[in-house]
Amino acid sequence: MIGARFLIRGRVQGVGFRWFVSRQARELSISGSVQNLADGTVEVVAWAERAETLASLEVLLGRGPDHASVESVEREAPPGDGDATPGRFVIQ
């Protein structure tokens, strides 16, 4: 599996961003998690079979749900070694 860690900045907490990400991840068959961080960002760790799937998620993260205002999406290597549960995406 191919993985990525995304940090999303802007007005992304308190606007349904985690639920939005969870819904999009399920539709794209992405495994991983999403959580709010103490500094006001949202962290997404995602695993997919294809790089194109993660690229699609990255585009969606840049848009966010209706009430969000995304300033930036930073992509980096994921933590761990890809030991994700296929088909499981959790909100933390």
Side-chain angles (χ1 to χ4, degrees):
M1 293 189 84
I2 301 163
R5 177 180 184 241
F6 299 98
L7 291 174
I8 303 95
R9 291 181 170 76
R11 187 167 49 102
V12 294
Q13 290 190 11
V15 294
F17 204 95
R18 291 177 300 158
W19 297 103
F20 168 82
V21 173
S22 177
R23 186 173 48 255
Q24 300 305 321
R26 282 193 310 273
E27 289 178 12
L28 292 168
S29 298
I30 290 175
S31 302
S33 64
V34 59
Q35 67 177 332
N36 288 338
L37 299 181
D39 65 359
T41 62
V42 170
E43 176 191 52
V44 177
V45 177
W47 300 93
E49 295 288 333
R50 300 171 22 154
E52 296 84 6
T53 305
L54 290 178
S56 295
L57 178 64
E58 187 171 5
V59 169
L60 292 166
L61 294 176
R63 293 180 188 151
D66 290 339
H67 298 291
S69 178
V70 177
E71 293 174 6
S72 68
V73 177
E74 178 183 325
R75 183 176 179 166
E76 55 188 52
D81 60 359
D83 188 24
T85 303
R88 181 165 163 84
F89 195 91
V90 297
I91 297 173
Q92 298 181 326

